[in-house]
Every structure is written in structure tokens, then in C-alpha cells.
Amino acid sequence: MNKPATGIPPASTYFMVPESEREEQHTLAVVVDNEPGVLARIIGLFSARGYNIEQLTVSETEHDKGISRITIVCRGTPKILAQIRNQLSRLVPVHSVADLTMEGEPIERELALVKVRGEGDKRIEALRLADAFRARVVDAHTGSFVFEITGKTRKVDQFIQLMKPLGLIEVVRTGIAAISRGPEAMKM
Amino acid sequence: MLPMGFSKLSAVVDVEDEKTMTQEITGAQMTGAEIVLQALKDQGVKEIFGYPGGAVLPIYDELFQQDEIKHVLVRHEQGAVHAAEGYARSSGRVGVALVTSGPGATNTVTGVTDALMDSIPIIVITGQVPTTLIGTDAFQECDTVGITRPCTKHNYLVKDVNDLARIIHEAFYVATHGRPGPVVIDIPKDVQFATGTYTPPEKVRHRTYHPQTEGDPQAIEQAVELMASAKRPIFYTGGGVINSGPAAVAALRALVKATGFPITSTLMGLGAFPASDPQWLGMLGMHGTYEANLAMHDCDVMIAVGARFDDRITGRLDAFSPGSKKIHIDIDPASINKTVQVDIPILGDCGRVLEEMLRLWHEKKAEPDREALKRWWDQIDLWRARQCLAYENRNDVIMPQYAVQRLFALTRDLDPIISTDVGQHQMWVAQFYGFEEPNRLLTSGGLGTMGYGLPAALGAQAANPDKTVICVSGDGSIQMNIQELSTAIQHNLPVKVFLLNNNYLGMVRQWQELLHGNRLSESYVEAQPDFVELARAYRWTGIRVEKPDELDDAIKRMLETEGPVFVNVQVANVANCFPMIPAGHAHNEMILSEEVKSSEEAGV
């Protein structure tokens, strides 16, 4: 019954050319009015249109004006990334969108809290490595530490990797906050 | 007609009156329901379409106590939204629908999505359960803003009555600025009862949304230079030209005349350029004309205006107009380079950009390459000579194409508004009904919503009481909102339904015949109502016609009969709509009807 018929054109019209361009990772800064549902709107846009979102950081930045800044790390071909920028910029509560990666290498930082349980040598080694990574001890017990580490994603990744054999039991990360270099502020 | 001086004087007086009124109202204390009515009045709303229910009763109570805004009671909330769309599309004003919470709101989703896809400016006001009950799974509660977030241009949940007026004015601004679209305002019942301060429209300025309307002058200049150097140019226009308004239509017509270029358009753009003009190639796309599609495929410069390169237009993307430089004018940044990469993108209102192009074209004394253009037109004329819309007419049964042709011949002088549903009849209207003016065709282009036609016609009739409004429909589509027959009677909306009845879901059957081995899975509608009797039960005039020689009389009777008339035209049941670009094929791979002349016959 369901054998494909031969000599008949495909029955679906949704014939898209496969993307052959290379994917890139970009960091976007999106300034929005902090109104209810604005984050859902942005996330919904990504899921509805099939864009990849890798990291998302949101916080109010100007309380009296009700403005929030969202940092999005996303991945796609240059064409898709341009679409993402355009789709974001036409959302009604969006003030402005900047592709920080396109504007130059932005400063990107994230914060992680890392809980490590261990005793003896492992405990000393964890403390020593934390010092090398400039991670701070924010909670200490006889059998555990919570470290606070700030830095580029790669540095945080590396620190977490090193903590694994030393008794890592829990991690929480903020996702990155990013800002452009130089004297210029983001256009509003 | 009043003498000019007098009417001017009275206009001044009106403005004065409005000013004093507004001043009185500024800062006035009102209930939420009063604010809704006042804001709608201040926005110039005269008619709204709706259906009452528990969570909007305060607003309906206010509606009852005033005369300025007329309410059209539909029979299903989807009908209210399509009616608002028809109202908007036919008049250029914003359409407004008012419904209750829960099922009232969810029933609007299809219409709202339809308006989003076709860029129709409408406002949908939904009632909501009181704020204290939100989130408790209350009776007739649903997450309206959550459900409609992806299918609106923007939406609001009003939690404070003091925000209500501002939000309504903002909603009208958002719906009509940039690429138009639907806006939903969800108003909890306690907010409708609460008292707050009214903010008049002129005090509202949007914080974030200010779309760019002026095109980049450099890009416009480049575009004009490219156009002047074109050898095989074509204009490809869309609904954006009509949305932009009469100035855009005038500028487009002038530019097409000044350049002498051929022009084709999408379904949504029909009427922006007169179909009787020799430069008009007919609609393009899946069921577009042979000449329009081949001209698109072979052109060297394409000027896309307010169109979005939909898959029904482009066919196979990697074979879409392979040799052309493309200019794309659009107000929506996300429509540019979405599926087709263009060479000169111009972000802006197409009316403003076209006017600027026209000015530059004249200023530069630009001349098209006359010789090349002549060769191009010779080629186009050869394609035209094949007469791609030809079909075999019959004496024993009405061919659907013939029915549309006769409808056109007998109604064209009335300059009617035509709404359609979705399917074969819709494409036949696009192919055989020659639209001369914009805002005359109401059709669901993007979403393809069966059931759009009848309520859209009602909305158009409400906006244009003196015009002839005809809904061309199919036996499948009409049944998706047939309950609105009742609305027409209640509100004296004398629309005409011209039903092409073939007992099939015709377009589905055609695809099954051509693409699925003629296995007609569920496309035959075995138990059909007697539409004429059904229409009469709704107190419409019903007319039945089955023979080609009776068709003209039936159409004349339809036009002469006062009030709503339903004409059931029994048509040949397995006619196909050609030309057709099959799925995943290019513009130059059309299937043509057997009646189309071969290249030799046409002298190609």
C-alpha cells in the first residue's frame, strides 16, 4: 500500500536546500523592555523557528526604566545568524540587538558555584587548584567546599573538569554576561 | 455634496470639538469597560465583531449603553476574527473583534494566525477570568497570552486598569505600523469593573517599536541604476503594496508605466496593478500563469516589492530565478534574505521607497534598454500565446473556470469586493477574475484557512455597505463557517455566496490524482447538504444552477435580488486547476492543461 510511487514528483512542497555553510557561534546582546512574557517571546522565537540557543542570561539592568539585557549565545550559519538578529529586532518589546561577536571579540564572563566533597590530599589539592584559578571559597565545611569561579566559559569548564576526580558533586553556572570592548556603548 | 468651503469649515469645527472633548476626557476616571469603549471610539472604530460571554459582560454592558460603536454578533468566534480581517483588508482600517475568555479566546486562534501570516491589522479583545483567579484553572480560563504569543504580532495581559487605555492605543499603533498584524489584548473581568484613569491616544508614544519606513538612499539609487541597465526585468509584487496604502499603489503603477517592465504579483498582491493592463502577466507561483513563471525564471533583474518569497511562489529554491539580480523592498527586516538571498535589500515602507525610486528614475532621466526590453516582451508574448489558462468548456456541465469567468464578466462593472475560501476555487478566482483595484480581493493566502470567505465577506460588507460583496467558495470550505449565514440576516449584510460545488475537496483530490496515484483518500464528500435548502432555512435566497446556459441568468438574479443570496453552482466534479508547479519543482517545470497550445501551435 505505502510503496513510494515511481516517476511521480515528491508529494511534499517543502523542498529546502540543505545548509552547506559552516556554523558559527555568536554572542548577541538584546536590550528589552522588562514586561511580562518578554523572555517567553524570545525563547518561543528560537524554538518556533528552529534556531539553536546555547546559553541565555537575563537580568534587569536599569530598574527605573524597566530595561533588561539578555545575552544569548547561539549557533548557526551566517545566514541563520542574520535571520536571528532580524527576527529578534522586530519583536515589539525589543529596544536593540547587537551581535557582539561580529563587532569584535567581546568580553565574556560567567560565574559558577562548584561544590566539592573530599578529605585529606584531595581536599588540599582542590584548594590548591582553586587558588591557581582564582576561585574563592564561599562555603567551607570539614568535608566540603563551595568555590565561586568567574571567567570565560573555557576557564570555568577547565576548572570543573579538574574538580571531577577531587570529589565534585554539584555545579551551577550563570551563563555568560558579555560586553563589547572600547569606549562605545551599545546603541539603544 | 456640500460646497468645498462649507465642508472645510465644518471639518475645522469638528476638530475643535474633538479637542475639547479630549481635554475633558484626559485624566477622567472611568471603569475598565468604559475605558475600552472610549479608547475604541478615540481610535475611530465604528464596527466591531464579537460574541459575548461571562468574562466580557462588563464590556458588553457598556456597549449596550451607547450608539457610536455598532456590534456585529457572529455565530462563532473564528467568524468574528475573519470578519475583522475582511473589514480591515477591504477598508484599510483596523478590524476589531471582541470575545470572551477560555473557548472564546481559543476559537480566535485560527483567525489570529491567519491575520499574522497575511499581515492584516486587527485587534482582538478577549475577556479573562478575574486576576485573583488567574492560574487556578478557573471556569473558562485559559492562558490566552501564552496561547496567542506565537500567533500575534504582539499581545498584552492587562493587570492594572490604569494601563488599559495606554495598552489599547499602543495595540492600534503596533497593529498598523511596520508590517501590520494582529494584536490580542486580554482583559480580566475585575479590571473591566475597576475604576482608573483614561489616557487619550495622543499621549501615547511607543517605547520601543519604531520601524524604519524610509529606504536607504544609496540602496535606492543602486536599485534604479540596476533597473535602467536591465535587459529582462520583472516586477514581482505582493500584499505589502496593498497594505502600504493607496500612495504605494499609485507609485507602483507609475513606476511600472515609466519603466515599461512586465509585472506579476502574488495572490495577496492582486489588484495593486490592473489586470487589464498589457504589462500585467497574471499571478505567479504554484498556480500562476506560464508567462509569469517563465519570466520570473528567465529574468535578469527582479524587483520584489512587499512580497516575501513564499514557498508557493518560489517553487524549488535552488532553481528559483537562477540568473537574476534581485532587489527586495520590504518593511520587515526578517523577510529580507529569509529564503532567497537578494542583491539589493531595501528596508522601508514600499510606498515611500517606490515614490523615491520613481523620483530618481525621472531625475536621472533613466531610460530602459529599449531594444533588449522589446526582445524580452517578444519572448513574453510567445509564452502568452500558449494561453496557459485554456480549458475545455462543455455544454452539458458547468466548468468551474467558466463559472468564474461569467461571474467576472457580469460583475466587473460593479467593482465588487470578492472574498474566497481556500482551494481550487480560490486559484480559479485568482486566475480568471481580473482585479483592477486593490482591497477588492479578500483571501487567506499564507495560512490557507478554509472557512475564511463567508465571515470575511460579512466584515467587508459592514465596512462597505454600498458595495457588492461576493464570497466565492467551495462545498468543502463553506461548511467550515456556514453558521455565519445567520449573522448576515441579523445584521442586514446582503452578501452573495457563489458556491462552486463539485462534491469534492477539489484541491486535495487534484493532488491525489497527480501525486498520489489517484487514490482519492477521503476527498469525496458523500453526504452533502442541499445548500439551497440550507440557505433558505437560514432565510437567505437560494438559487440552484446546473446547466451552463442557465448560469448567466442565475448570476443576474443573484445581483438583482436584495439581501443575502446563496448560489449553488453545480460544476464539473473532477476539473483540475492548471498550470501547476508540482512540489519541489522549478518555475520552468509547470504542468499545463491539455488544452494549452503546444509551442509549435503558439508559434514559439
Side-chain angles (χ1 to χ4, degrees), chain B residues 390-410:
Chain B
Y391 61 92
E392 189 189 2
N393 210 358
R394 288 168 58 172
N395 294 324
D396 55 336
V397 61
I398 300 170
M399 292 302 287
Q401 297 95 324
Y402 178 71
V404 177
Q405 277 183 315
R406 293 314 300 160
L407 181 72
F408 175 49
L410 296 172

Side-chain angles (χ1 to χ4, degrees), chain A residues 1 3 5 8-17 33 35 37 40-41 49 65-67 79 83 86-87 89-95, chain B residues 149 153-155 174 179 206-209 286 311-312 316-318 332-334 336-339 341 511 514-517 582-585:
Chain A
M1 271 299 281
K3 264 188 294 179
I8 294 173
S12 168
T13 59
Y14 307 104
F15 191 97
M16 300 289 280
V17 187
D33 252 12
E35 61 176 42
R41 223 173 274 285
R49 296 188 184 266
K65 289 189 194 159
I67 284 176
K79 224 173 96 177
Q83 263 296 302
N86 287 336
Q87 293 286 357
S89 66
R90 75 174 186 153
L91 290 179
V92 170
V94 168
H95 283 271
Chain B
R149 193 172 290 127
K153 184 172 174 187
H154 199 55
N155 63 13
V174 169
R179 180 174 169 182
H206 204 279
R207 272 163 60 93
T208 51
Y209 191 67
M286 183 168 268
D311 59 271
R312 287 298 195 266
R316 189 170 130 191
L317 266 182
D318 60 353
D332 174 15
I336 291 174
N337 289 335
K338 183 170 65 180
T339 55
Q341 295 293 305
W511 280 52
L514 298 174
L515 308 168
H516 295 271
H585 281 63

Side-chain angles (χ1 to χ4, degrees), chain B residues 449-482:
Chain B
T449 309
M450 291 169 73
Y452 166 91
L454 176 57
L458 296 174
Q461 188 79 75
N464 305 271
D466 300 328
K467 267 207 172 302
T468 303
V469 180
I470 305 169
C471 165
V472 182
S473 187
D475 50 296
S477 288
I478 193 73
Q479 293 189 70
M480 285 214 188
N481 269 324
I482 194 133

Side-chain angles (χ1 to χ4, degrees), chain B residues 347-417:
Chain B
L347 185 62
D349 173 72
C350 56
R352 308 301 295 267
V353 174
L354 286 170
E355 278 168 5
E356 193 52 25
M357 276 181 150
L358 186 65
R359 193 188 64 74
L360 261 184
W361 183 271
H362 288 312
E363 187 185 289
K364 285 175 173 286
K365 298 198 167 50
E367 268 296 310
D369 183 340
R370 295 275 171 210
E371 215 169 289
L373 199 56
K374 164 134 196 346
R375 279 199 302 277
W376 181 226
W377 273 113
D378 287 345
Q379 173 64 66
I380 289 170
D381 286 340
L382 288 175
W383 290 327
R384 270 181 175 164
R386 291 193 65 183
Q387 297 175 12
C388 67
L389 299 179
Y391 61 92
E392 189 189 2
N393 210 358
R394 288 168 58 172
N395 294 324
D396 55 336
V397 61
I398 300 170
M399 292 302 287
Q401 297 95 324
Y402 178 71
V404 177
Q405 277 183 315
R406 293 314 300 160
L407 181 72
F408 175 49
L410 296 172
T411 59
R412 59 185 304 176
D413 292 339
L414 300 171
D415 186 24
I417 294 168

Side-chain angles (χ1 to χ4, degrees), chain B residues 99-312:
Chain B
V99 302
T100 191
S101 64
T106 56
N107 277 344
T108 66
V109 167
T110 302
V112 168
T113 311
D114 192 274
L116 183 73
M117 294 283 270
D118 285 344
S119 313
I120 309 295
I122 58 165
I123 305 284
V124 178
I125 297 173
T126 56
Q128 181 57 279
V129 300
T131 44
T132 47
L133 287 184
I134 289 179
T136 65
D137 303 319
F139 178 65
Q140 293 197 329
E141 183 192 354
C142 74
D143 177 9
T144 302
V145 283
I147 290 169
T148 59
R149 193 172 290 127
C151 62
T152 48
K153 184 172 174 187
H154 199 55
N155 63 13
Y156 301 87
L157 170 63
V158 187
K159 286 191 166 165
D160 182 344
V161 67
N162 292 305
D163 293 333
L164 181 56
R166 173 187 58 81
I167 285 175
I168 295 173
H169 298 315
E170 249 186 52
F172 274 84
Y173 170 84
V174 169
T176 50
H177 286 72
R179 180 174 169 182
V183 179
V184 167
I185 309 171
D186 198 25
I187 312 175
K189 195 172 182 180
D190 56 332
V191 175
Q192 299 170 32
F193 276 127
T195 302
T197 308
Y198 184 75
T199 316
E202 56 273 17
K203 295 226 162 164
V204 174
R205 185 185 142 78
H206 204 279
R207 272 163 60 93
T208 51
Y209 191 67
H210 301 284
Q212 182 182 332
T213 53
E214 303 294 326
D216 170 22
Q218 251 184 322
I220 293 175
E221 188 161 356
Q222 278 176 9
V224 169
E225 279 165 13
L226 182 62
M227 282 159 66
S229 71
K231 302 210 179 311
R232 299 184 309 280
I234 189 165
F235 279 95
Y236 147 51
T237 64
V241 179
I242 296 174
N243 274 337
S244 180
V249 171
L252 175 74
R253 291 177 176 200
L255 188 62
V256 173
K257 281 290 144 203
T259 55
F261 294 175
I263 172 169
T264 179
S265 141
T266 66
L267 179 66
M268 296 309 294
L270 293 179
F273 194 82
S276 60
D277 192 284
Q279 279 168 263
W280 172 247
L281 303 189
M283 182 179 75
L284 82 160
M286 183 168 268
H287 294 288
T289 66
Y290 186 68
E291 50 271 29
N293 284 335
L294 284 193
M296 284 290 279
H297 188 266
D298 286 0
C299 69
D300 72 339
V301 172
M302 178 191 298
I303 308 119
V305 191
R308 59 184 177 88
F309 297 91
D310 175 82
D311 59 271
R312 287 298 195 266

